[in-house]
Amino acid sequence: MTDTIAPLPSDRTGDLALDDDAVVWSDRLLPGDPRPLVVLLHGRGSNERDLFSLVPALPKDAVYASVRAPLPHVGGAPGDSWAWFRSGLPGLPDPASAIAATAGVLDWLARAAPDSRVAVVGFSQGGALTTQLLRHAPHRFESFVNLAGFWIEGGADAEQDALLAAAARPVFWGRDPADPVIPADAIERTMRWLPEHAQLTVSEYPGIGHSISRDEIDDVAEFLRRTLVR
């Protein structure tokens, strides 16, 4: 079964540009602001208000920006349900739209926080997008948090992937080993790929399903303190 995403007019990066007015901020970053930024990427069918509820449990010394995905997700509430890219078959997103979404996030970041130290936290499809950001711009981010997400096959070329081992960026991957939403083959691909391309921390939370637990958020907060807020 495929996602019901509104058709892309084309694969141009501009079609997946983020809406600057659809960002929830914990505070505004001014030029020269020394505080680090954490970018929050919601899951498919959700919106920019979703992950912002986690902010009170995360480090206080950072600024948080929860951005809205660019594609309307058909079947959800109009204007309230969004997706980052076409998923295609379960666990096999469309690589072209994944690359375009990655470029859209990086373009937004260049506008919103060109000089800030940045970490990214994503859930589900947003978690998958964190692996894309790792592949395309590892040195733009201090660290990456992938919650209940996976690696996107075909979302970058071999040369880009080959450079990641040397970059050794810190990645936190949290999940329920019995997650009922992410297919087993997508998890297996991620388990093979991430250890070879990142400085990886893996934490499992049995029984939480396709969700985020308080214990997991506590671990994410500690990871961000260690890798970003220092």
Side-chain angles (χ1 to χ4, degrees):
M1 181 177 180
T2 58
D3 282 355
T4 52
I5 302 292
L8 290 176
S10 76
D11 290 326
R12 291 176 302 167
T13 298
D15 293 327
L16 296 187
L18 302 194
D19 184 350
D20 291 351
D21 294 327
V23 180
V24 181
W25 290 88
S26 65
D27 196 6
R28 285 293 180 175
L29 280 173
L30 299 175
D33 196 319
R35 292 174 296 175
L37 172 67
V38 179
V39 179
L40 304 175
L41 307 175
H42 64 77
R44 176 174 60 88
S46 190
N47 56 65
E48 68 276 14
R49 297 184 300 279
D50 186 10
L51 292 186
F52 199 75
S53 63
L54 304 178
V55 169
L58 297 175
K60 310 299 183 189
D61 296 331
V63 173
Y64 295 84
S66 187
V67 296
R68 178 193 292 173
L71 295 174
H73 182 253
V74 178
D80 210 34
S81 184
W82 303 85
W84 292 102
F85 41 74
R86 291 178 181 272
S87 289
L89 295 174
L92 290 171
D94 171 64
S97 61
I99 291 170
T102 304
V105 172
L106 293 172
D107 287 346
W108 170 81
L109 189 58
R111 296 192 302 274
D115 302 316
S116 298
R117 296 172 51 247
V118 184
V120 61
V121 176
F123 172 72
S124 193
Q125 198 182 77
L129 187 56
T130 67
T131 67
Q132 279 293 103
L133 294 167
L134 169 66
R135 299 166 83 182
H136 287 268
H139 295 294
R140 182 64 186 91
F141 299 88
E142 301 292 319
S143 56
F144 304 79
V145 176
N146 175 358
L147 304 176
F150 56 93
W151 173 71
I152 300 173
E153 189 170 23
D157 61 35
E159 183 177 354
Q160 287 170 304
D161 280 357
L163 298 174
L164 290 180
R169 308 313 287 167
V171 174
F172 179 96
W173 185 26
R175 54 180 291 272
D176 183 344
D179 187 320
V181 172
I182 307 301
D185 57 347
I187 295 301
E188 291 169 3
R189 290 196 309 270
T190 309
M191 286 180 170
R192 290 194 301 268
W193 187 86
L194 267 178
E196 297 178 357
H197 296 89
Q199 182 183 333
L200 181 62
T201 299
V202 179
S203 292
E204 294 186 341
Y205 305 89
I208 69 170
H210 193 65
S211 66
I212 304 171
S213 71
R214 181 54 194 250
D215 287 345
E216 186 173 20
I217 290 306
D218 288 345
D219 291 342
V220 169
E222 179 55 34
F223 177 80
L224 291 174
R225 289 188 193 98
R226 176 166 52 86
T227 61
L228 179 70
V229 182
R230 56 181 186 270

